[in-house]
Amino acid sequence: MDVLPRLATGSDLHAAAELLAGAETLLILTGSGMSRESGLPTFRGPEGLWRGVKPEDVASIDAFRRDPKWVWEWYRERILAHRNVEPNPGHRAVARLQKQFGRSTLATQNVDVLHERAGSKGVLHLHGQLNFVRCMSCTRRLPLEPVLLETLPPPCPACAGILRPDVVWFGEALPEGPFQEAVAAAHACDVALVVGTSNLVYPAAMLPQFAKQEGAAVIEVNPESTPLTPDADVALAGTAADVLPTLERLVADLRRTRRRGGARPGFANA
Ligand code: BV8
Ligand code: ZN
């Protein structure tokens, strides 16, 4: 696995921890970088899932209608990879951080269930989930059973129609409920924490902008800069599994100290 730069400095972490410790409501938006240190590849970039394929050739309904077997072969590889990975310290830090807030919303663009397996509840999957399939004919949605991957495309057990991965492809609307809930959370939050996304895919990439428009603080965690970086109040240049556990611990210390009415804990080696 490529070793990513670990550049988040103490003062950035301190500034981010101060913003989070003083906030009541939190929106967290994650992308594939969140699961990178669990061993799942991101989409873009030299190691990305999409190297060698055009996104619209594997992540669009036209591609699926043209060659469902090929699209399924591409997704079957990802599904099998999902079975062999565990949540990383970043996922677990997100779940602990959420517990520190009166109200927190976790919206992910990821189709894995690593946030749930790390303890996060009510995760909003903006781009669907790979552990479910949907029938192109009778539209029923069912859990993806291993047996279904033997013949591709898998037939619907109810109507023998073709089953598709329950993910959102380009040109398809995001699931109404989860997206609207994420939009409401973006408009209401005090802080938006954006982790591991290139912020290139819409309308998910609008969520931090909505938060910013309402005066929320935006904190980005990403080893690279993205179109969001210039608008972030704090850009933590580091990886999810490296930055988030330290950040969560600093926020918990700050909250504890404030509850005791004491001075700010030292951040010497943050
Ligand atoms: C729609 C399938 C309309 C699921 C994907 C304006 C408004 C609305 C739409 C558009 C718009 N402009 C353009 C559009 C169309 C399009 C779009 O956004 N195109 C882009 C490319 C310009 N959007 C759509 O088509 C959406 N649908 O708008 O429909 C509509 C409305 C009503 C009725 C009908 C239609 C649908 C978008 C979803 C597309 N599906 N994939 C799957 O296979 O998983 S997109 C794909 O990109 C994934 O879903 C992924 O979730 C998404 C975002 O990618 P990232 O997660 O950010 O991953 P990426 O590799 O890009 O970046 C990883 C980042 O992590 C990097 O920054 C890296 O530095 C960082 N990183 C790496 N390692 C780490 C790390 N960070 C932290 N720690 C680490 N260790
Ligand atoms: Zn069916």
Side-chain angles (χ1 to χ4, degrees):
M1 190 164 77
D2 47 334
V3 179
L4 294 162
R6 302 195 161 180
L7 304 173
T9 63
S11 62
D12 296 345
L13 280 163
H14 160 199
E18 290 274 359
L19 288 169
L20 286 160
E24 271 302 303
T25 58
L26 172 65
L27 167 69
I28 303 174
L29 172 67
T30 63
S32 61
M34 183 77 233
S35 302
R36 180 77 188 78
E37 285 151 296
S38 294
L40 292 179
T42 58
F43 287 89
R44 298 163 180 88
E47 306 269 303
L49 277 165
W50 284 342
R51 74 190 178 288
V53 288
K54 283 211 284 266
E56 52 277 16
D57 287 348
V58 287
S60 76
I61 187 65
D62 297 342
F64 188 71
R65 286 208 173 98
R66 233 185 355 259
D67 191 344
K69 188 167 184 304
W70 189 67
V71 174
W72 257 113
E73 280 163 357
W74 191 77
Y75 273 95
R76 176 167 56 186
E77 256 184 71
R78 288 178 64 193
I79 290 164
L80 297 177
H82 282 205
R83 294 209 177 125
N84 302 321
V85 296
E86 297 299 324
N88 65 55
H91 291 105
R92 288 194 289 277
V94 161
R96 289 196 304 273
L97 189 63
Q98 284 187 273
K99 291 193 183 104
Q100 293 194 38
F101 283 78
R103 269 185 53 213
S104 79
T105 302
L106 172 55
T108 186
Q109 300 170 86
N110 298 339
V111 292
D112 63 53
V113 286
L114 292 172
H115 279 304
E116 289 89 338
R117 288 177 55 199
S120 289
K121 306 263 183 287
V123 180
L124 301 176
H125 281 276
L126 303 179
H127 293 166
Q129 287 176 241
L130 262 189
N131 54 331
F132 282 90
V133 287
R134 247 182 314 125
C135 177
M136 297 283 282
S137 309
C138 70
T139 72
R140 87 185 48 227
R141 179 177 185 262
L142 52 159
L144 171 67
E145 294 304 330
V147 70
L148 285 176
L149 288 177
E150 276 151 24
T151 40
L152 298 181
C156 169
C159 76
I162 287 186
L163 295 172
R164 57 166 282 177
D166 188 25
V167 297
V168 180
W169 281 326
F170 285 108
E172 293 187 321
L174 275 55
E176 186 67 25
F179 182 58
Q180 288 313 326
E181 197 176 329
V183 169
H187 284 291
C189 70
D190 299 323
V191 180
L193 177 62
V194 184
V195 184
T197 180
S198 57
N199 292 288
L200 292 173
V201 174
Y202 286 81
M206 290 161 87
L207 295 170
Q209 304 302 336
F210 290 151
K212 189 92 193 150
Q213 282 159 19
E214 303 283 349
V218 174
I219 300 168
E220 182 180 39
V221 177
N222 196 319
E224 312 284 338
S225 60
T226 74
L228 177 68
T229 309
D231 294 335
D233 295 81
V234 183
L236 295 171
T239 70
D242 195 28
V243 168
L244 293 174
T246 308
L247 181 61
E248 188 272 333
R249 207 172 38 253
L250 289 174
V251 178
D253 291 350
L254 260 177
R255 284 180 183 269
R256 216 179 354 266
T257 311
R258 287 181 183 175
R259 272 197 300 275
R260 290 195 208 117
R264 221 171 43 205
F267 285 88
N269 310 316

